[in-house]
Amino acid sequence: MHANVGDDDLRALYDGCDALIAASFAEGFGLPIVEAGHFGKPVLASDIPVFREVGKGAAGAHFFEVGSSVALATTVKSFLKRTALARPDSPSWPTWSESLAQLESVVVGQKWYKFYEPRFPRPFSPLTDLGVTRMTTALEAEQRAHRLQHVEGPYATDDGAAVKIVVSVTNLSGTVWSSLGSTDGRMGVALSYHVLDGAGGQLQYDNARTNIPFALVPGDTIYLAVNVLRSWKERGAEFVDLELLQEGVSWFGSPLRVAL
């Protein structure tokens, strides 16, 4: 442990290390990540919002699931397997003007999903924790009334393996929706997509789900995103149809088509 470290000693510590590990559960900023970028050191950091924001300025940042010792160990092992430790490029953090413009876009334009794209949607809660509202019966047609609108995308995910498409989902019915259904996995409401070729033919109808966090009450709108693997483009995919569904019951209908 090092306390009250001066500038010279701090430089010596960074000069003698291969990388910085920042495994915090929560932080107000993350100054060590900035320091590591300044000294040209890679960063292995827990996937919390502030580290994503600060870490994007430090080339060589790698993120792991917060609170998971297994994820941390896997990230460290992967890092140590490298035959050569390449020095990251010069760090590049936004200017004050750029930060202000970004903040305005997030708050006014509601583009938080663009600037913070965590692998884990709720890092401080279990991935199975969808709130206490549970769907127990099949929805009637009027209970599925909704509006889907394209917000942004497709654009590449952080790892480049997929493209992200963001839509707004508005509940126009009088019924509360939740992705938490019966114990056998049925009844929950979620967003998914169908993969289509250039002529509109189906390449794959059933795909991964995006769950509603907590619940979507009547009249409310939420932003949800789907990640479509880039490999679909190589297999001839040109479009995706985004559509809500109730598991084990039916698709909602009126899908939203987005070009890849």
Side-chain angles (χ1 to χ4, degrees):
M1 298 293 292
H2 301 276
N4 301 318
V5 176
D7 290 343
D8 292 339
D9 290 334
L10 183 65
R11 177 179 294 277
L13 289 171
Y14 274 107
D15 285 344
C17 78
D18 291 320
L20 169 74
I21 297 178
S24 303
F25 284 89
E27 288 285 354
F29 178 64
L31 182 59
I33 293 180
V34 178
E35 292 175 344
H38 174 73
F39 290 111
K41 298 296 182 177
V43 173
L44 313 180
S46 51
D47 191 4
I48 59 177
V50 68
F51 282 176
R52 279 280 177 176
E53 180 180 354
V54 177
K56 283 188 175 181
H62 307 273
F63 301 97
F64 53 86
E65 181 180 358
V66 63
S68 171
S69 58
V70 174
L72 171 57
T74 300
T75 303
V76 172
K77 287 179 181 178
S78 176
F79 178 80
L80 293 176
K81 285 180 181 178
R82 300 179 182 183
T83 56
L85 298 176
R87 185 179 181 87
D89 298 330
S90 298
S92 176
W93 282 277
T95 64
W96 284 112
S97 296
E98 291 170 339
S99 294
L100 179 60
Q102 186 180 99
L103 178 61
E104 181 181 22
S105 181
V106 170
V107 176
V108 179
Q110 299 189 50
K111 292 187 177 180
W112 51 267
Y113 55 82
K114 180 69 172 179
F115 297 103
Y116 172 49
E117 300 172 2
R119 290 179 57 197
F120 310 97
R122 297 180 60 209
F124 298 108
S125 301
L127 297 181
T128 54
D129 179 8
L130 300 174
V132 296
T133 301
R134 185 181 294 274
M135 307 293 294
T136 58
T137 59
L139 296 173
E140 300 294 337
E142 64 272 12
Q143 295 175 308
R144 298 194 297 268
H146 68 284
R147 181 173 61 247
L148 289 181
Q149 291 183 302
H150 182 211
V151 176
E152 195 162 4
Y155 56 86
T157 55
D158 286 345
D159 60 9
V163 293
K164 184 184 293 290
I165 300 171
V166 181
V167 298
S168 64
V169 181
T170 303
N171 183 351
L172 300 178
S173 77
T175 302
V176 177
W177 298 340
S178 169
S179 292
L180 190 64
S182 56
T183 55
D184 61 1
R186 301 174 67 248
M187 301 301 173
V189 175
L191 176 69
S192 187
Y193 61 95
H194 319 300
V195 183
L196 312 174
D197 61 22
Q202 295 283 350
L203 294 179
Q204 183 159 304
Y205 191 78
D206 208 2
N207 290 282
R209 310 311 199 224
T210 299
N211 288 328
I212 298 170
F214 301 109
L216 184 57
V217 300
D220 205 357
T221 298
I222 192 172
Y223 290 93
L224 296 178
V226 298
N227 290 340
V228 181
L229 292 176
R230 282 186 175 274
S231 58
W232 276 115
K233 284 286 289 183
E234 301 169 3
R235 296 160 63 181
E238 294 292 338
F239 304 96
V240 289
D241 278 354
L242 284 76
E243 187 175 355
L244 293 170
L245 74 151
Q246 186 176 24
E247 295 287 1
V249 180
S250 67
W251 294 83
F252 276 32
S254 303
L256 173 66
R257 181 161 297 184
V258 178
L260 295 175

